Amino acid sequence: MKNFYPQQYKADEVFKINHNYLSEQFTDCDEILEKIKSIVKDNDFTLGSTVDEVEKLIAKEADTKNAIAVGSGTDALMLSLKALGVDKGDEVITTSYTFYATIGAIVTAGATPVFCDCREDYNIDYSKIIEKITPRTKVIMPVHWAGRACNMEKINEVATEHNLKVIEDACHALQGEYKNKRCGGLSDIGCFSFHPLKNLNVWGDGGIITTNSDILSEKLRLLRNHGLRNRDICEEFAYNSRLDTIQAVVAKHVLENKLENITKKRIENAHYYDLILKDILEIKTLERSKDIKEVFHLYLLQAKRRDMLAKHLQSNGVDAKVHYPVPMHLQPAARKYRYSKGDFPVSENLAENTISLPVHEFITNEQIEYTCNLIRDFYSKS
Amino acid sequence: MMKVPFIDLKREAKSIGGELISKTKEVLDSGNYISGNNVNKFEIEFAKYCGVSDAITVANGSDALRLIIQSLDIGPGDEVICPANSFIASAWTIIAAGATPVFCDVEEDFLLSVETISKCITKKTKAIMVVHLTGKLCEMSSLQRYCNHRNILIIEDSAQAIGATNKQGEKSGSFGIASGFSLHPLKNLAVYGDGGVITTNSQEVTRKIKLLRNHGLINRDECIVWGFNSRLDELQAAYGLLKLNYIEGWTEKYISIANRYSSELTDRITKPKTEEGCRDVFHNYVITVSPKKRNAIMHEMLSKGVETKIHYPIPLHLQKCAASLGYKKGDLPNTERLAESMISLPIYPSLSENEIDHVISSLNNIIKTSH
Ligand SMILES: Cc1ncc(COP(=O)(O)O)c(C=O)c1O
Ligand SMILES: Cc1ncc(COP(=O)(O)O)c(C=O)c1O
């Protein structure tokens, strides 16, 4: 079998307006390389002191007491479930509108994913969670999709009432806020990804977990490093999932020098799209809420004749994408849970109509105008 | 006083520093951080080096073994035999898959054998986890004969054994249904962070692992099995590819240091023996001494500036994490005795002749004067 993922992430030369901005983002790599050289001097390649520093910085960002760096966002979710004691036979309620990793993490932890439909804003429908609760339910795992916080008040309410834990999949939502509180600090545990295409990215895979609980933090530190208390004593059999020190150097650099601007620019871009697109009838942008600071990992809209529009944009140099066309309950991997089409109408409808436009920090106002004009043209001609 | 650290990674990085930096820049310029050309090339070269059809890179050596077990559908109710003198990851991978590790004893060379595993075989035995500890191959032909006969799979833990060969010149990673390697910074072939590789001749294993390591995706939009994220970073693959050019030379260096130790260290300690025609790659050079004197000797070595270690002081069956498996002291007498007797001496390619002299004379003096 061939590796298919080189294509998955490849910077596509055809497009003028790309989703992928990685060749632009690290033009200052010499500065980072100098710092990496000093790591080599200290023999400090795994769990080094820079990892500690990144943990402190992220804890500050998420406004939590602790942060624990791990190998990826997926591992962050899986280890969090394990830290909460999730195991075979347990159920985890999550949204059908998410990335595969959310579900993969639940299954890897040994549990069964129980899907719940989402709302028009792509986030789990908190009013339907309660129907999904069984005696086996252990955790609710909401996803702050595209960088827009879920209604955590409602979700936490259900959780408290039924004695469940909550893990936020905040992989899209670093610096996002719900009622002036940061994502990742809105529940028992928050999980972030440092994947190259995330708002805070490193030069490979990486992730981090945030929590206010010292007990969970301690447990997670064991779980990510073979269960080792020290070099020779193993408390419990556990995983190897660590953020490389050299990736921590990159994360620290982005945190200290770029993240504020990345977030700010994404928000500005999104608002500019909102402004221009609001009078195109065939397009539906999301209503923005005062309670939520969205950080726009993705800029999503619902569009009539979505696939045709996507083609139109792509053939004119705009890398419009679909995140994602098939909801989780309808994936081949979910067959054994016996869901069928029609089970989650909102998710399914969104999956058919949603398109995402490039919104990263290197997108200019001119590019946004160009893209919006293409959309206007598309609908006025047809 | 001369100081000989147990390991010093900066020396190697210094010797190839220029190349490392230019590789890094190449990757950054490509804008491709996950699984690009370097990963593909490294997998091809690694497979070639081990003499197998496929190599699949993953996030680390522990995941390599975990993915192997998962891809073989080993799970609850199955038993996998594993030596207790190993790094915990060897046994953890069995537990992570929901199966039960059955700890076997080892021979004087720290390795399991037909003799030691045959006491552990039950109807539930699905596989044995063969650990080529310190870079010395287990006696594979007799193990293969024994296991083939009984339909038991062989999984190799080659984390410490890149480049080790038997008399026929066959390399570690080419014997079992699949083999896991670690690229951890302390390994003979190391990257600058975590990394791992799986080698196999089974297309089925390759197919399953390539799915599992990347969210079970067959394309961007379709997930056919829930998987996870366990990939070698493109950057680390570039370093690995670069270092494959050096591994033969470095391995020869490990061996020549081991040869000096073996010929010049006093015969009053027990030294590792390499069988004629085999190539042991000496990830560690482990001697054994009387348990009563072991700690004192290590202490004296340190006072002479020589750092030594123990791989591993507490066997897996006596670790706290294994408590629920129901083993007790005395269950694996050889393993337990070795754990109390062994000392690992510094061994790495950048060790200088002077440093080697110092290790040898220090140890010989300590043994002569105090015992
Ligand atoms: C919602 C969501 N959860 C989890 C992940 C997994 O993160 P990672 O790719 O770092 O494993 C991602 C990103 O890929 C994601 O989009
Ligand atoms: C024998 C053995 N197996 C497995 C591993 C695990 O490899 P890693 O540290 O890359 O997860 C190691 C090394 O740490 C090892 O020495």
Side-chain angles (χ1 to χ4, degrees):
Chain A
M1 180 175 156
K2 273 183 58 156
N3 291 338
F4 90 87
Y5 53 59
Q7 287 82 41
Q8 186 181 3
Y9 300 109
K10 200 162 173 174
D12 207 329
E13 304 300 335
V14 190
F15 295 108
K16 282 183 288 197
I17 304 178
N18 281 321
H19 260 284
N20 191 332
Y21 50 98
L22 293 173
S23 39
E24 292 158 90
Q25 200 200 352
F26 289 110
T27 43
D28 54 350
C29 75
D30 283 339
E31 219 176 295
I32 302 175
L33 284 177
E34 278 313 308
K35 291 184 200 155
I36 289 179
K37 281 187 202 159
S38 71
I39 301 231
V40 176
K41 282 204 201 85
D42 297 340
N43 289 346
D44 204 10
F45 296 109
T46 54
L47 299 179
S49 59
T50 318
V51 174
D52 300 339
E53 289 167 31
V54 167
E55 291 177 343
K56 288 207 179 78
L57 288 168
I58 290 286
K60 215 189 249 167
E61 285 298 337
D63 199 15
T64 54
K65 261 177 90 183
N66 307 288
I68 306 95
V70 296
S72 68
T74 310
D75 278 1
L77 293 166
M78 186 271 293
L79 294 169
S80 298
L81 289 162
K82 281 293 169 199
L84 290 173
V86 168
D87 213 338
K88 221 164 272 16
D90 294 336
E91 292 175 357
V92 177
I93 298 173
T94 191
T95 163
S96 53
Y97 203 98
T98 184
F99 184 67
Y100 320 94
T102 316
I103 317 306
I106 296 169
V107 174
T108 307
T112 305
V114 173
F115 297 112
C116 180
D117 207 355
C118 63
R119 301 172 75 85
E120 283 287 310
D121 69 353
Y122 300 87
N123 284 335
I124 191 165
D125 190 342
Y126 46 82
S127 70
K128 299 203 170 108
I129 292 174
I130 198 154
E131 308 159 12
K132 308 288 173 193
I133 296 174
T134 76
R136 290 184 295 275
T137 310
K138 274 274 177 70
V139 171
I140 306 171
M141 189 182 273
V143 182
H144 304 308
W145 190 253
R148 178 184 172 110
C150 298
N151 186 327
M152 292 306 293
E153 233 163 45
K154 298 268 204 245
I155 293 168
N156 285 332
E157 221 174 84
V158 181
T160 312
E161 206 169 296
H162 294 84
N163 206 7
L164 304 174
K165 299 288 181 191
V166 179
I167 299 172
E168 295 160 72
D169 180 340
C171 287
H172 293 182
L174 187 60
Q175 291 198 328
E177 291 176 10
Y178 177 76
K179 298 201 169 166
N180 296 318
K181 283 174 76 180
R182 284 289 169 94
C183 293
L186 299 166
S187 64
D188 296 291
I189 298 184
C191 298
F192 295 94
S193 164
F194 294 157
H195 181 280
L197 295 180
K198 294 293 186 285
N199 290 21
L200 165 58
N201 55 4
V202 298
W203 296 349
D205 276 309
I208 199 160
I209 303 166
T210 51
T211 180
N212 282 313
S213 157
D214 294 341
I215 294 170
L216 287 173
S217 171
E218 193 61 12
K219 175 100 180 164
L220 285 160
R221 281 175 205 286
L222 279 178
L223 287 180
R224 72 168 169 186
N225 191 31
H226 306 292
L228 287 172
R229 174 67 60 196
N230 56 43
R231 179 180 174 275
D232 300 326
I233 308 273
C234 178
E235 297 247 328
E236 64 179 299
F237 285 112
Y239 303 79
N240 177 355
S241 180
R242 304 178 285 225
L243 179 68
D244 288 342
T245 313
I246 62 174
Q247 303 296 2
V249 171
V250 181
K252 182 167 176 248
H253 181 84
V254 176
L255 272 161
E256 287 177 337
N257 302 293
K258 298 182 170 187
L259 185 63
E260 284 304 324
N261 184 54
I262 289 171
T263 303
K264 185 166 147 276
K265 198 69 184 60
R266 281 175 179 266
I267 293 173
E268 282 171 14
N269 285 343
H271 287 161
Y272 197 44
Y273 273 125
D274 275 357
L275 184 73
I276 308 184
L277 291 172
K278 71 170 184 292
D279 60 337
I280 303 180
L281 295 175
E282 290 87 348
I283 291 282
K284 201 154 110 197
T285 56
L286 277 179
E287 263 177 55
R288 307 299 166 196
S289 154
K290 277 202 198 60
D291 285 342
I292 299 171
K293 178 182 158 197
E294 298 183 56
V295 292
F296 297 98
H297 171 57
L298 304 170
Y299 182 81
L300 303 173
L301 17 110
Q302 293 181 59
K304 292 231 158 81
R305 281 174 284 133
R306 190 263 319 267
D307 291 341
M308 301 265 288
L309 175 63
K311 271 212 193 84
H312 177 66
L313 290 172
Q314 284 161 6
S315 62
N316 283 289
V318 176
D319 185 14
K321 279 201 157 54
V322 178
H323 296 98
Y324 289 88
V326 185
M328 292 304 116
H329 66 290
L330 300 178
Q331 288 288 341
R335 244 172 233 146
K336 70 168 172 198
Y337 308 126
R338 298 176 181 281
Y339 292 93
S340 48
K341 219 173 152 107
D343 283 350
F344 302 120
V346 182
S347 293
E348 290 167 27
N349 186 48
L350 287 172
E352 273 172 31
N353 297 320
T354 296
I355 190 165
S356 68
L357 304 176
V359 69
H360 57 78
E361 79 250 40
F362 297 105
I363 296 289
T364 63
N365 281 355
E366 291 71 40
Q367 290 178 318
I368 292 174
E369 287 155 16
Y370 172 79
T371 303
C372 292
N373 282 335
L374 285 172
I375 297 175
R376 202 181 299 277
D377 283 353
F378 173 77
Y379 288 117
S380 65
K381 276 198 203 108
S382 47
Chain B
M1 178 180 68
M2 181 184 283
K3 283 220 159 110
V4 187
F6 189 75
I7 185 79
D8 187 356
L9 299 170
K10 63 179 171 287
R11 300 183 187 180
E12 174 197 280
K14 208 167 173 184
S15 75
I16 56 171
E19 284 177 286
L20 287 172
I21 296 287
S22 63
K23 278 278 171 205
T24 307
K25 289 195 169 152
E26 246 172 63
V27 171
L28 297 186
D29 285 342
S30 78
N32 221 339
Y33 297 98
I34 309 273
S35 306
N37 289 335
N38 285 293
V39 167
N40 285 335
K41 261 193 227 150
F42 180 61
E43 290 180 345
I44 291 167
E45 293 303 321
F46 198 95
K48 240 190 245 166
Y49 182 80
C50 294
V52 295
S53 64
D54 297 321
I56 311 117
T57 54
V58 293
N60 55 64
S62 306
D63 271 7
L65 296 171
R66 168 164 73 124
L67 279 147
I68 290 171
I69 295 195
Q70 205 172 336
S71 75
L72 296 173
D73 292 324
I74 294 172
D78 298 331
E79 291 178 356
V80 180
I81 298 172
C82 166
N85 179 33
S86 184
F87 185 62
I88 13 162
S90 315
W92 164 73
T93 58
I94 300 165
I95 290 182
T100 308
V102 175
F103 293 115
C104 66
D105 212 347
V106 292
E107 305 284 348
E108 288 306 310
D109 62 2
F110 302 94
L111 305 177
L112 57 69
S113 67
V114 167
E115 169 100 26
T116 67
I117 64 164
S118 61
K119 300 189 180 109
C120 303
I121 303 277
T122 73
K123 281 203 191 70
K124 296 182 189 158
T125 308
K126 259 286 182 65
I128 51 174
M129 172 80 68
V130 168
V131 184
H132 305 307
L133 203 73
T134 75
K136 182 183 182 66
L137 290 182
C138 299
E139 221 300 288
M140 290 311 295
S141 54
S142 58
L143 284 165
Q144 282 173 312
R145 232 175 298 124
Y146 183 87
C147 291
N148 287 348
H149 204 64
R150 291 166 178 76
N151 260 331
I152 294 170
L153 295 168
I154 295 180
I155 298 163
E156 293 176 76
D157 180 344
S158 301
Q160 305 189 356
I162 176 108
T165 65
N166 64 6
K167 281 180 194 148
Q168 287 73 41
E170 295 164 312
K171 285 213 176 83
S172 64
S174 68
F175 299 98
I177 176 77
S179 173
F181 289 85
S182 166
L183 304 172
H184 182 277
L186 298 178
K187 297 294 186 278
N188 289 20
L189 177 69
V191 297
Y192 294 107
D194 276 308
V197 189
I198 292 148
T199 56
T200 183
N201 287 311
S202 158
Q203 287 179 358
E204 186 55 14
V205 168
T206 303
R207 190 186 68 81
K208 283 189 179 156
I209 290 174
K210 283 193 172 178
L211 275 175
L212 286 173
R213 73 169 170 182
N214 189 35
H215 304 297
L217 292 171
I218 48 168
N219 57 48
R220 182 173 171 279
D221 301 325
E222 239 183 315
C223 168
I224 63 165
V225 38
W226 301 116
F228 30 97
N229 176 352
S230 182
R231 305 178 290 221
L232 181 67
D233 291 339
E234 176 72 4
L235 206 54
Q236 303 292 6
Y239 302 148
L241 193 57
L242 171 68
K243 288 176 154 201
L244 267 181
N245 298 329
Y246 294 93
I247 186 66
E248 274 304 295
W250 286 340
T251 301
E252 287 307 318
K253 200 74 218 285
Y254 278 101
I255 294 170
S256 77
I257 297 167
N259 285 342
R260 280 205 59 195
Y261 283 158
S262 291
S263 66
E264 296 173 46
L265 284 174
T266 167
D267 287 329
R268 292 167 65 186
I269 57 168
T270 309
K271 293 172 276 187
K273 293 180 193 68
T274 297
E275 220 183 302
E276 189 66 36
C278 296
R279 180 159 91 150
D280 302 348
V281 298
F282 292 99
H283 172 61
N284 284 312
Y285 188 92
V286 182
I287 59 168
T288 54
V289 298
S290 152
K292 276 188 238 108
K293 297 173 185 158
R294 195 260 307 268
N295 291 355
I297 293 172
M298 286 181 73
H299 198 259
E300 283 180 64
M301 288 291 276
L302 195 60
S303 72
K304 291 181 186 291
V306 180
E307 200 184 352
T308 59
K309 293 217 149 110
I310 306 170
H311 295 93
Y312 300 86
I314 307 174
L316 297 179
H317 68 295
L318 301 179
Q319 286 282 358
K320 192 172 164 197
C321 57
S324 68
L325 297 169
Y327 290 88
K328 58 182 189 311
K329 217 170 154 106
D331 284 346
L332 303 173
N334 260 2
T335 303
E336 291 166 28
R337 183 175 41 77
L338 289 169
E340 289 172 358
S341 330
M342 63 177 123
I343 303 175
S344 301
L345 303 180
I347 186 163
Y348 41 97
S350 55
L351 214 54
S352 71
E353 293 299 323
N354 281 342
E355 288 170 319
I356 300 167
D357 289 341
H358 184 64
V359 174
I360 293 169
S361 63
S362 302
L363 187 61
N364 284 349
N365 275 331
I366 290 166
I367 300 288
K368 190 161 75 194
T369 53
S370 63
H371 308 278

